[in-house]
Amino acid sequence: MNRAEKIVSNAEELNPYEAPKETKTTKRPKKKKASEDDPPHDPAIDAIVFSLQKTRPWISLFGTLSFLGAVGLVVFGLYTMTSTSTSRAIGEFGAVAFIVYLILAILYAVIGTRLFRYRDGINQVIASDGRLDFIATAIERQREFWAFVGVMTVVLLSLYALIILGAIMFALGR
C-alpha cells in the first residue's frame, strides 16, 4: 500500500475529536419553500380568518355576560322565593317566580355555551391558519347559535303575545 492509499484509508476512519459529518442517513429534509410547494394562499380565506379573529373577543364578552346573567337570574330567583315572609304579593308567587327565573337562567346558560363553542371553533381556525374544515366547523357552530336564538325568540314573542292577550282579557272582564 502506498502512502496516498494510507492517507485516504486513515481519512475514512472515525476520528472521535472531529465534528460529526452529514451522511445520506443523517440528512434532514430541507424546509419547503412556501412559494414553490404550497398552494397559493387564498385572500378570501385570509379575509375570513381575519373577520373571525376580530369577532372572537365580542363572542367571548357575550358568552361571559350570558353566564353572568344566568347566575344573576338564579340569585334573583332565590331572593324572590325567600322573600315570601316580607311581601305577601311576592310570597304567593315566590316558587313560581323562582321556576321562571330558573328556566330563563338555563336559556342564558345554553346561549353562553353555544357562544363559547363558536369561540372555540374560531380558535381552531386561527391555530390551523385557516384550514377549510375548521372554518366549516366554526360556521356550523355559528349557525347552531343563531338557530337556537331564532327559535327562542319565536317562543318568547309567542309568550309575550299570550301575556298581552291575557292582560287585555283580564282588563275587559273587570
Side-chain angles (χ1 to χ4, degrees), residues 14-25:
L14 294 177
N15 181 354
Y17 303 106
E18 185 177 44
K21 294 181 181 177
E22 230 177 41
T23 63
K24 289 181 183 178
T25 59

Side-chain angles (χ1 to χ4, degrees), residues 40-50:
H41 222 312
D42 190 359
I45 292 177
D46 291 341
I48 291 169
V49 172
F50 178 77

Side-chain angles (χ1 to χ4, degrees), residues 45 48-50 52-53 56 59 115-142:
I45 292 177
I48 291 169
V49 172
F50 178 77
L52 289 173
Q53 193 171 17
R56 185 179 52 177
I59 293 168
L115 282 170
F116 281 135
R117 285 191 59 198
Y118 177 39
R119 185 202 58 192
D120 293 342
I122 291 174
N123 288 339
Q124 289 177 338
V125 169
I126 293 168
S128 72
D129 199 28
R131 279 186 35 197
L132 285 177
D133 53 339
F134 289 119
I135 291 173
T137 301
I139 298 300
E140 175 61 21
R141 289 181 179 171
Q142 181 187 41

Side-chain angles (χ1 to χ4, degrees), residues 54-132:
K54 292 300 178 184
T55 306
R56 185 179 52 177
W58 294 108
I59 293 168
S60 296
L61 173 69
F62 285 110
T64 303
L65 289 176
S66 294
F67 280 115
L68 290 175
V71 170
L73 284 167
V74 169
V75 168
F76 192 71
L78 286 172
Y79 171 75
T80 303
M81 191 172 73
T82 57
S83 67
T84 57
S85 62
T86 59
S87 172
R88 182 180 168 106
I90 294 176
E92 294 173 3
F93 301 104
V96 174
F98 175 71
I99 291 171
V100 169
Y101 284 122
L102 188 62
I103 290 170
L104 289 173
I106 290 169
L107 290 175
Y108 272 71
V110 169
I111 288 173
T113 300
R114 291 187 183 263
L115 282 170
F116 281 135
R117 285 191 59 198
Y118 177 39
R119 185 202 58 192
D120 293 342
I122 291 174
N123 288 339
Q124 289 177 338
V125 169
I126 293 168
S128 72
D129 199 28
R131 279 186 35 197
L132 285 177

